[in-house]
Amino acid sequence: MIRKDTLLAWPMIAFMVLFFISPLVLLAGISLHGEDGSWGLGNFAAFLSDPFARGVLTGTLALGAKVTAWVSLAALPLVMLYWHGGKRLRGLILICTLLPMLTANVVRTFAWVVLLGRNGPISQTLLGLGLTERPISFLFSETGLVMALVQIEMPLLLLPVFSVLNRADRKTLEAAEVLGAGRWRAWFSSIFPQIIPAVLAGWVLVFASATTSYVTQSVIGGARLIYLPQFVYREVGVLFQWPMAAAISILLLASTGVIMLGLTMLARHERLQGHG
Amino acid sequence: MAEFRNRLSTLLYWIFVWGGGLAVLIYMIGPIILALVMSFNAGSTLAFPPKGFSLRWYQMLLDPAESGPIHTAAWNSIEVALSTVVLVTLITAPAAWALARANRRFAGSVEPVLLAPLVLPSLVYALAALLALSLLGLGPSFIAVLIGHAAVFAPLMFRTVLGLAQRMNPALEEASATLGASRGRTFLKVSLPGILPGILAGAFLVFMQSLDNVSVTLFLGDPGRTMLPLRLFAMLEESLDGRVAAVSGLLILAAALLLVTLQRFGGRSSS
């Protein structure tokens, strides 16, 4: 069965199956293990029937949705600028996208601690403009957390879109413009449909990353705002409720998975329409 | 009238594209520049605007008497990151090279498994690995962190090497074999130089990610051995001082180096 030319691939395949796939299978199995030794969906039922836990779940999903929505809105003008840009502008935009992404997450979170703090630039500017009388801190608020996560996760949406635009045909847009469609209509009717699959792929990455960014959530959100990752950590590190932690992780994965599946189906649908 | 409306619409379009686009660009890069600026801050707090230029935080960071725990944590992390890079290179580079040459159906069925860690939140994996460890009766350790990091970050190098290996002309290797070079010699002289840029770019990516990862390190690591991301995380939560800015400055420099490496060596594989 193992052919000679694929021999070199097997160490990695074995490594990933042994050390990556099997722990996850184990995680799924343990999530079904009840406190009293029984097997079933008891942990899931217990989690979902607890109003506080349910609030954490919906709060986390809402955080992911908010970040994804703001990322999409903010990315739009930049994506359009990238499309119109020449080689040098595109290069600059690419650097400004890649540098934050390659910078350690802890560093980006630190930058936002300074930005959002009582003595930070945002508070000082508002003070200077007379919009507020006392310095205000945006730390430990969901607004601040969303602002930070939008900047931290935006590259995940931008990069797939940029790579589509690099391959896209400029002539379609020019043709639309020559035919008299306004700038707006030309962009939204000829370029926008082409980037939709990449946008959907980006949404999944942004959503999954925003809902599980433990460091940013704990540091910027503070102790009062609890999201699923902190909840999981509490179950494991403080309460030693491993089966419950496993069940919560599976829920987190499942919710991201459902969104991914939905978006993939939507992308197929859109693509069919685009070519139909 | 119609003419005027057209012009207005075009004007608004360019205001949206240029104004909005540049504003978002500043939003993206601004925090990184701010972190850099604050690292040269002469003041004793991290208040904005900074009070003059100084290297005091870098000096304090480099001083072993004052920042000993940070140094230890940094060395521990670098040790893990380098070991991870070696392990990942050993399993990933041959696999990517072989799969680029394997038949499509086989490669297509295996690749999703090898790329899966890219989409799985590392927190979930960390928990799964911790459960597996304790079920085997093992405790957190250096080896556990190493294997965990390798499993989560191997796809980064797999992607950069695969991209290059797929673009290589198989005729080169055939020619080398026909001319009498042994299999090993062909690999060393022809195949390896072809995929080396991908290995380099991937190694850098894996190194940086390993240095930055909190969840796998937190769950699988020996609590007695502090690691850099955990130390920084603790400093962010407790004693926010200028040294965090100085470490940030160094990590931003590393990210910039990574960017240059990727553009030089990884550009062909990622484009």
Side-chain angles (χ1 to χ4, degrees), chain A residues 3 12 16 19-20 23 26-27 74 78 80 84 98 104-105 110-111 119 147 151 154 184 187 215 233 236 242 249, chain B residues 9 13-14 21 24 27-28 31 48 91 103 106 110 117 125 127-128 131-132 134 147 151 212 214 219 240 248 259:
Chain A
R3 292 193 9 213
M12 183 174 180
M16 296 310 275
F19 295 119
F20 190 81
L26 189 70
L27 181 79
L78 190 57
M80 289 165 84
H84 286 290
L98 282 170
N105 196 16
F110 160 71
N119 297 314
M147 283 168 77
Q151 187 257 346
M154 200 167 6
W184 293 98
W187 208 86
V215 172
Y233 186 67
V236 177
W242 292 14
S249 317
Chain B
S9 151
Y13 180 84
W14 289 118
V24 175
Y27 187 73
M28 294 278 298
F48 190 88
I91 59 168
N103 73 57
F106 178 75
V110 173
Y125 171 74
L127 179 65
L131 290 174
S134 67
I147 290 179
D212 183 33
V214 166
F219 279 22
L240 196 63
S248 298
L259 184 60

Side-chain angles (χ1 to χ4, degrees), chain A residues 241-261:
Chain A
Q241 295 288 341
W242 292 14
M244 180 54 102
I248 302 170
S249 317
I250 296 291
L251 270 178
L252 191 63
L253 273 190
S255 46
T256 313
V258 166
I259 291 168
M260 200 186 302
L261 206 70

Side-chain angles (χ1 to χ4, degrees), chain B residues 108-195:
Chain B
S109 59
V110 173
E111 271 163 28
V113 176
L114 302 185
L115 291 172
L118 288 177
V119 288
L120 189 95
S122 78
L123 177 83
V124 175
Y125 171 74
L127 179 65
L130 179 65
L131 290 174
L133 261 187
S134 67
L135 214 69
L136 292 171
L138 300 170
S141 67
F142 174 83
I143 298 289
V145 179
L146 170 62
I147 290 179
H149 281 198
V152 176
F153 302 129
L156 295 172
M157 187 187 285
F158 181 73
R159 245 189 349 192
T160 54
V161 178
L162 188 71
L164 281 181
Q166 278 170 341
R167 241 152 287 205
M168 259 173 74
N169 187 352
L172 287 174
E173 283 155 4
E174 282 161 26
S176 163
T178 317
L179 291 171
S182 70
R183 215 170 238 269
R185 204 174 144 78
T186 299
F187 181 78
L188 275 181
K189 293 279 176 187
V190 181
S191 318
L192 192 60
I195 57 171

